[in-house]
Amino acid sequence: MSLGEPSSKPDLYVIARIIKALKEKNRMNKTALATSTGLAYDKFVKYLAWMSQKGFVVVDENGLVILTKEGAEAYDDLVAWIMKYVGQLKFPRLRLRT
Amino acid sequence: MSEKNVKSQELTEENVVAQVAELMETLDHVKKYNALAGAFKRFALIVLGSIAVFLAVGASLGFLNLVATLDKPQLFITALLLLLVPVSGIAAGILFIQRKVNAIKTGEWKEDLTHGFPSALKILLEMDWDETFDEISSGRVGYALYGLLKAAAYWLITVFTVGLLGNLSAFLVLGKTGFLGLPVWGLLSVLIVYLILRKDLSRRYKQIRALDKLLWELRWFSLELRRAEFQT
């Protein structure tokens, strides 16, 4: 995925990892955040730009990335969205007998 | 609605992770069914091979008129020893299946899920649903065929065991063999095998229904997940 291309969609997993890391640490510098999310730095920068554009994160004057209220809400929405589907699954009891 | 269901509807990260863990555990079970289905051909070969050997040796004894050289006790002992061939075949087949099933690695996703919600999300989004459906379908068919072949093999062994014991009893009590006949022993064996395997067959049927249900649940789920789009 390249977020530079207008038609491409962001990887929700990557966004979730970035937001989760920021939720846990409140604010992080870019390098630490890229490391904690396991992304290559150039890819991370593209995600960060996309998230800043969406208003999910801001970068302060010290270069620290901060999660915004919108970012936290987007994460909660993502959890709710997934739970809406996965929460309805009912699993049968499987016990293989040979 | 049960307490568990109410709790699972809470929109927390932990609940998503717990549901995905349950999904993955269920799919681990599916892997085992699929391993059984994959090993079924060889199981059938072992069991049918042993039955073929049993029938071939039995027929040879008759055709070569070797039976006439044996007295009654020797004949019963020979028949009893011959019965060990299909019994061993079934035992070897079941052991083979058990080894294949136990060799399946499970819980490899547990490490990934320790990273919480993002990992659960990744698992769901990267799941190869079509492959999963194929695994459930083939596992279901393989499991049904395995149960049927095992029951048929049990029946065949029971027919000969019942026939042997029937003839032995008739010989001891009435002093003659050839009492009743194969159709009677066959029907009696159906009844005996049914009584022995009744619970087992019922459990197998329930498991096949459970796999069916799982297939439909996951088809619905994957369709909803693919159709839906998260709006950022």
Side-chain angles (χ1 to χ4, degrees), chain B residues 44-60 82 85-86 156:
Chain B
L45 208 68
I46 295 169
V47 173
L48 294 177
S50 68
I51 290 171
V53 169
F54 166 71
L55 293 175
V57 174
S60 303
L82 201 55
V85 177
L156 195 79

Side-chain angles (χ1 to χ4, degrees), chain A residues 83 86-87 90 95 98, chain B residues 8-9 13 19 150 207 217:
Chain A
M83 195 60 200
V86 83
K90 304 271 183 293
R95 293 288 173 269
T98 54
Chain B
S8 71
Q9 294 303 317
E13 288 183 52
Q19 277 288 93
K150 217 173 94 169
Q207 286 295 287
E217 281 272 318

Side-chain angles (χ1 to χ4, degrees), chain A residues 5-62:
Chain A
E5 294 164 17
S7 61
S8 63
K9 281 201 271 180
D11 186 337
L12 293 177
Y13 164 66
V14 174
I15 293 168
R17 285 203 75 171
I18 293 173
I19 297 179
K20 191 173 171 67
L22 286 171
K23 274 181 106 177
E24 284 166 0
K25 299 266 171 69
N26 283 329
R27 56 186 64 203
M28 293 174 82
N29 72 49
K30 289 178 188 171
T31 314
L33 188 55
T35 309
S36 75
T37 54
L39 277 179
Y41 194 76
D42 59 333
K43 210 171 178 183
F44 167 76
V45 168
K46 283 179 184 171
Y47 270 97
L48 199 63
W50 185 85
M51 290 175 77
S52 296
Q53 188 197 326
K54 287 277 180 184
F56 295 164
V57 294
V58 287
V59 182
D60 71 5
E61 64 276 10
N62 299 316

Side-chain angles (χ1 to χ4, degrees), chain B residues 7-205:
Chain B
K7 205 175 172 185
S8 71
Q9 294 303 317
E10 288 171 14
L11 307 175
T12 65
E13 288 183 52
E14 291 75 22
N15 281 337
V16 173
V17 173
Q19 277 288 93
V20 172
E22 202 172 340
L23 168 67
M24 296 311 286
E25 266 174 30
T26 308
L27 294 181
D28 273 351
H29 281 292
V30 169
K31 275 189 201 171
K32 291 183 178 182
Y33 283 92
N34 207 40
L36 186 148
F40 175 74
K41 273 186 189 169
R42 200 171 281 186
F43 168 78
L45 208 68
I46 295 169
V47 173
L48 294 177
S50 68
I51 290 171
V53 169
F54 166 71
L55 293 175
V57 174
S60 303
L61 286 175
F63 284 132
L64 299 173
N65 216 16
L66 291 172
V67 177
T69 62
L70 304 170
D71 57 20
K72 293 294 178 196
Q74 282 176 327
L75 192 63
F76 285 123
I77 289 168
T78 308
L80 209 60
L81 288 174
L82 201 55
L83 259 178
L84 287 178
V85 177
V87 171
S88 308
I90 292 179
I94 292 172
L95 277 175
F96 170 73
I97 288 282
Q98 277 176 348
R99 224 184 58 194
K100 288 283 175 191
V101 167
N102 292 337
I104 292 297
K105 285 182 185 168
T106 56
E108 286 172 317
W109 44 270
K110 281 182 183 167
E111 171 64 25
D112 289 338
L113 263 190
T114 55
H115 299 117
F117 172 74
S119 309
L121 182 65
K122 188 182 183 199
I123 288 173
L124 288 177
L125 296 177
E126 290 182 354
M127 182 90 71
D128 186 339
W129 292 107
D130 292 331
E131 193 187 315
T132 304
F133 300 149
D134 286 346
E135 280 186 0
I136 298 173
S137 291
S138 66
R140 186 182 50 173
V141 173
Y143 191 61
L145 290 176
Y146 171 77
L148 286 175
L149 181 61
K150 217 173 94 169
Y154 278 10
W155 172 77
L156 195 79
I157 290 172
T158 311
V159 170
F160 285 100
T161 309
V162 167
L164 191 68
L165 292 175
N167 277 321
L168 181 66
S169 309
F171 177 71
L172 292 174
V173 177
L174 306 170
K176 64 171 187 177
T177 53
F179 187 63
L180 296 176
L182 202 59
V184 177
W185 302 136
L187 285 174
L188 191 61
S189 300
V190 169
L191 188 68
I192 293 170
V193 170
Y194 172 72
L195 289 174
I196 293 171
L197 295 182
R198 191 174 45 177
K199 278 187 182 168
D200 184 69
L201 290 172
S202 156
R203 272 195 289 256
R204 280 179 197 282
Y205 176 71

